[in-house]
Amino acid sequence: MRIKPIYFLLLIFVFSSCNEYNKILKSTDRDLKYTYAKKYFEEGKYSRSITLLEELVTFMKGTAQAEESLYLLAQSHYNSRDYYSATEVFTTYYNTYPNGEYAEPALFYSAYGMYLDSPDPRLDQSKTYTAIVEFQKYIERYPQTERAEQAKNYLFELQEKLAYKELLAAQLYLDLGNYMGNNYESAVITAREAMKSYPYSKYMEDYQITILRARYEYALRSTLLSQPERYRMVVDEYFNYKNSFPEGKYNGEADRYYREAQEKIEILPTT
């Protein structure tokens, strides 16, 4: 079976490229290695630039290439989508060279890398909190830069993710009901705390209706002796919802809770 010329040439190129890279790895000439690290970076061969730069950055401390080599290593990790490692190196750069040539983009990308790595709201949000802290630091340090507005938008987006996580928690408590305790009260507390923490969130109405639902469900499942007081709590929360969202998307549902609560209050015996 004959190998087609185009494949033969491709094989030659691959082998020669690997041979070149292996020679560079074994070289003791650090200047040559740094030249090739930048070459591989420009060619988008980030795994190679990372390997070379991780070896070189320690030796380059105190030299003219110290800042650039550390920043290139961070960018290599970032471009290879290893955002966690990128953030670590960007942070190292910024802490080492707070007034360095690449300090501003390093601080921005340390936050942006964590933003990109921020997981689904149902998962642990450690990376989200890290990104928020870094974006806040960036905005304080560089309020007039072109990226400052981007940082504000990303910061708000991350805060909304945390707000949504709290909404999911409140809804989970609501769904659990009286299972192994009064989860309705936990739903109310979680939603109220979220309203304090995220007063400008788009989920404010969802928090408020969750509180009303929890009050209603708790009253519905209470003893006859306890129901009058708990239905009055439903009425109180109804007015809280209506005052905050007079044209709210849950108005029909809220009105139903209110009517049922009023009917119960009228017919149930009071102590």
Side-chain angles (χ1 to χ4, degrees):
M1 179 178 173
R2 296 182 61 188
I3 299 177
K4 293 183 179 180
I6 185 67
Y7 296 128
F8 183 70
L9 291 173
L10 182 60
L11 285 171
I12 292 175
F13 175 78
V14 170
F15 284 129
S16 62
S17 176
C18 291
N19 189 44
E20 173 196 75
Y21 177 59
N22 288 328
K23 286 181 179 179
I24 297 301
L25 284 176
K26 294 174 183 177
S27 175
T28 57
D29 187 338
R30 289 171 187 156
D31 289 334
L32 179 65
K33 282 188 170 181
Y34 189 52
T35 298
Y36 270 88
K38 292 196 289 185
K39 174 179 177 289
Y40 291 138
F41 178 85
E42 292 298 327
E43 292 174 352
K45 298 174 181 176
Y46 302 117
S47 62
R48 293 185 176 186
S49 63
I50 289 169
T51 300
L52 292 173
L53 288 167
E54 283 182 336
E55 175 191 336
L56 293 170
V57 288
T58 302
F59 297 107
M60 290 194 164
K61 288 179 180 178
T63 70
Q65 293 84 24
E67 283 191 45
E68 184 186 54
S69 62
L70 192 58
Y71 185 72
L72 281 177
L73 176 58
Q75 282 287 5
S76 295
H77 282 302
Y78 176 84
N79 291 338
S80 63
R81 299 186 180 181
D82 180 359
Y83 301 122
Y84 184 81
S85 296
T87 295
E88 283 191 326
V89 182
F90 279 129
T91 302
T92 299
Y93 175 93
Y94 181 79
N95 289 335
T96 307
Y97 308 105
N99 298 309
E101 181 180 353
Y102 308 103
E104 181 266 323
L107 185 54
F108 178 84
Y109 282 111
S110 70
Y112 189 60
M114 284 293 97
Y115 162 83
L116 293 174
D117 224 15
S118 176
D120 182 274
R122 294 167 182 82
L123 303 176
D124 177 73
Q125 294 300 304
S126 298
K127 292 177 181 178
T128 303
Y129 285 111
T130 299
I132 287 174
V133 169
E134 292 301 301
F135 275 130
Q136 288 173 332
K137 191 186 300 182
Y138 179 86
I139 293 166
E140 291 172 7
R141 174 84 180 187
Y142 304 104
Q144 304 301 324
T145 60
E146 292 182 7
R147 281 187 272 250
E149 196 60 34
Q150 287 179 277
K152 291 175 185 177
N153 291 334
Y154 293 138
L155 178 60
F156 183 74
E157 187 178 333
L158 292 168
Q159 288 173 331
E160 283 292 86
K161 178 178 283 190
L162 296 179
Y164 183 55
K165 184 177 180 67
E166 292 304 302
L167 176 62
L168 293 176
Q171 290 174 338
L172 178 60
Y173 282 126
L174 178 60
D175 292 339
L176 288 172
N178 283 322
Y179 178 71
M180 297 183 70
N182 181 7
N183 291 295
Y184 295 118
E185 188 62 28
S186 296
V188 170
I189 292 171
T190 300
R192 287 205 196 286
E193 288 301 312
M195 292 173 74
K196 293 177 185 177
S197 299
Y198 310 103
Y200 304 108
S201 173
K202 64 183 178 182
Y203 300 112
M204 285 293 287
E205 185 177 358
D206 297 280
Y207 295 142
Q208 193 69 63
I209 195 63
T210 299
I211 294 171
L212 179 54
R213 287 169 182 160
R215 291 299 190 208
Y216 172 79
E217 294 293 337
Y218 189 41
L220 188 66
R221 288 161 176 77
S222 296
T223 63
L224 286 176
L225 191 63
S226 302
Q227 280 187 344
E229 178 187 356
R230 289 170 185 171
Y231 275 117
R232 281 192 287 272
M233 295 172 73
V234 173
V235 172
D236 290 342
E237 292 303 339
Y238 168 78
F239 285 113
N240 283 339
Y241 174 80
K242 293 292 284 188
N243 289 335
S244 299
F245 306 98
E247 304 297 327
K249 58 185 176 181
Y250 302 110
N251 265 340
E253 180 184 353
D255 290 342
R256 178 170 62 82
Y257 295 148
Y258 174 71
R259 288 193 302 269
E260 292 185 23
Q262 288 286 62
E263 289 172 4
K264 293 289 185 179
I265 291 169
E266 289 176 7
I267 64 173
L268 287 168
T270 56
T271 57

